[in-house]
Amino acid sequence: MRPTGPLHLGHLFGALDNWVKLQDKYDCFFMVADWHAMMSEYEDPSRLSGFAKECVADWIACGIDPEKSIVFAQSHVKEHLELYMAFSNFVPLGWLERCPTYKEQLREIKTRELHTYAFLGYPVLQAADILIYKADTVPVGKDQVPHIELTNDIAERFNSLYGGIFPSVKPLLTKIPKLLGIDGRKMSKSYDNSISLGDTEDAIKKKCSAMFTDPERIKLSDKGRPEKCNVYAYYNLFKKEYAPEVYEYCTKAKSGCTECKKNLGGVISDYLADIRHKREGLLKDEDKINSILEKGAVKARKVAAETMNEVKKAIGLI
Ligand code: SF4
């Protein structure tokens, strides 16, 4: 996860809930991808380290257990960059230029100059992040599947040039509930439409009161269409048992959107209360976060150094 800002509900439902479950089935490596964050934040990287610590606090508050899983920062394990360099030598430019997420981000992100050498090589570093641990499975969203395919192409190319070291990797796709931002677009920091895990109760209520609703329900007496309303979708996710009542009140025009959104603010705030409380406690204890990252880096480095040793031998550097 790139530490480029506070984590929000999209991260909770899109990744963290799933990661917490995966801990019981797999040996997991959870990485704060700070070098990846640099690729877009290179003009002002001063906040990255703070965001990285917040990221770890959020993970732990959501249920990631650093005793069970390896939690670390990418920049603390130098082997990621070494393997990235080893791969960079033979990855053809065409593989990177064709990458759909690369083209999409160049098109969509207008606030950063991303026509850089590092940004083009983003998937090569990603391949190194995965293969340095010889991971066999990576939990990803559908849009990231091409990166896993590219990782396998890179691994195969390495294996055919220097000898078989790397296993093939498979994506682990999980059904993720759809959660839009408060303005009805994809939830994203850059759209300023997200509810952060650390938002106060007041902030959550304020954001909920600004949520887009059924655009055809203008007056209190208008009957609403909950299936067209983002607020109703949130009820289904956060407090399903309230959804039938919300549906009835909406479709029969028994109560208004203002009240419906106000109540939702309370529901979300209650849902996040425990996470908020835990993350606040952790953020007050910076030593604890540093210690989690240091211990994680020691464990990660042990595996990464072994792989890098094999890689250097295969290439002939040692
Ligand atoms: Fe949406 Fe609630 Fe308004 Fe119905 S009453 S349109 S569910 S906000």
Side-chain angles (χ1 to χ4, degrees):
M1 205 176 268
R2 296 167 74 239
T4 52
L7 301 195
H8 53 63
L9 294 177
H11 296 108
L12 178 63
F13 290 104
L16 288 169
D17 270 357
N18 185 34
W19 290 9
V20 170
K21 290 183 202 131
L22 293 178
Q23 293 183 109
D24 294 326
K25 269 180 88 181
Y26 296 89
D27 294 322
C28 297
F29 289 72
F30 296 120
M31 182 182 85
V32 180
D34 45 6
W35 278 124
H36 280 290
M38 268 294 285
M39 288 178 184
S40 61
E41 307 306 307
Y42 59 89
E43 282 184 353
D44 179 16
S46 59
R47 296 175 70 198
L48 292 187
S49 127
F51 284 143
K53 284 175 188 156
E54 267 194 66
C55 194
V56 173
D58 282 328
W59 291 358
I60 309 291
C62 290
I64 297 296
D65 180 353
E67 297 298 324
K68 243 188 229 175
S69 304
I70 298 182
V71 173
F72 69 104
Q74 187 182 29
S75 66
H76 296 180
V77 183
K78 67 176 173 44
E79 285 79 4
H80 286 253
L81 295 188
E82 287 189 275
L83 189 56
Y84 166 61
M85 185 64 220
F87 290 161
S88 297
N89 294 315
F90 61 74
V91 173
L93 282 177
W95 288 8
L96 304 174
E97 285 160 349
R98 275 197 298 274
C99 198
T101 48
Y102 172 70
K103 288 194 278 194
E104 185 197 306
Q105 297 205 24
L106 282 188
R107 217 174 33 241
E108 296 293 323
I109 300 176
K110 300 287 176 218
T111 52
R112 312 271 192 281
E113 172 48 53
L114 292 179
H115 290 86
T116 59
Y117 165 63
F119 195 67
L120 178 66
Y122 179 104
V124 183
L125 182 55
Q126 241 179 9
D129 298 332
I130 296 166
L131 294 170
I132 196 77
Y133 302 108
K134 298 191 180 177
D136 51 16
T137 309
V138 187
V140 287
K142 255 194 204 154
D143 59 332
Q144 290 285 320
V145 171
H147 287 203
I148 302 297
E149 286 162 2
L150 187 56
T151 297
N152 281 328
D153 291 342
I154 293 173
E156 274 171 31
R157 187 118 206 234
F158 182 99
N159 290 345
S160 74
L161 284 168
Y162 310 113
I165 287 188
F166 295 111
S168 69
V169 187
K170 59 179 187 308
L172 183 70
L173 290 167
T174 319
K175 203 168 177 297
I176 291 168
K178 198 167 180 196
L179 185 76
L180 298 173
I182 58 172
D183 59 359
R185 292 187 292 169
K186 183 185 166 195
M187 189 177 280
S188 159
K189 293 181 284 253
S190 31
Y191 294 159
D192 199 20
N193 66 357
S194 56
I195 295 176
S196 300
L197 301 185
D199 276 347
T200 60
E201 184 170 356
D202 283 350
I204 294 173
K205 287 185 172 165
K206 199 167 162 211
K207 286 179 181 178
C208 285
S209 71
M211 277 178 86
F212 284 24
T213 61
D214 174 4
E216 288 185 14
R217 188 166 193 218
I218 296 158
K219 301 189 296 301
L220 185 59
S221 55
D222 293 336
K223 289 179 179 165
R225 301 168 302 167
E227 59 288 348
K228 303 264 179 211
C229 177
N230 199 18
V231 174
Y232 180 67
Y234 271 58
Y235 271 108
N236 267 311
L237 201 57
F238 288 95
K239 198 96 178 168
K240 215 172 175 41
E241 59 270 37
Y242 284 7
E245 197 179 326
V246 171
Y247 191 91
E248 190 189 325
Y249 274 61
C250 176
T251 50
K252 296 188 176 157
K254 285 190 188 171
S255 68
C257 293
T258 308
E259 194 184 342
C260 190
K261 291 193 279 186
K262 191 171 162 221
N263 292 340
L264 178 70
V267 163
I268 297 177
S269 179
D270 287 351
Y271 189 94
L272 293 179
D274 190 40
I275 294 175
R276 190 164 55 230
H277 179 69
K278 283 188 189 147
R279 79 185 292 283
E280 275 168 16
L282 278 159
L283 286 169
K284 281 187 197 135
D285 190 353
E286 206 176 323
D287 289 348
K288 182 161 182 185
I289 296 181
N290 288 338
S291 156
I292 290 169
L293 285 172
E294 275 162 28
K295 284 185 190 158
V298 170
K299 292 184 211 164
R301 246 182 254 133
K302 193 167 177 292
V303 184
E306 275 171 27
T307 307
M308 210 48 224
N309 198 35
E310 274 184 77
V311 166
K312 284 183 179 167
K313 275 188 189 153
I315 295 174
L317 289 178
I318 54 173

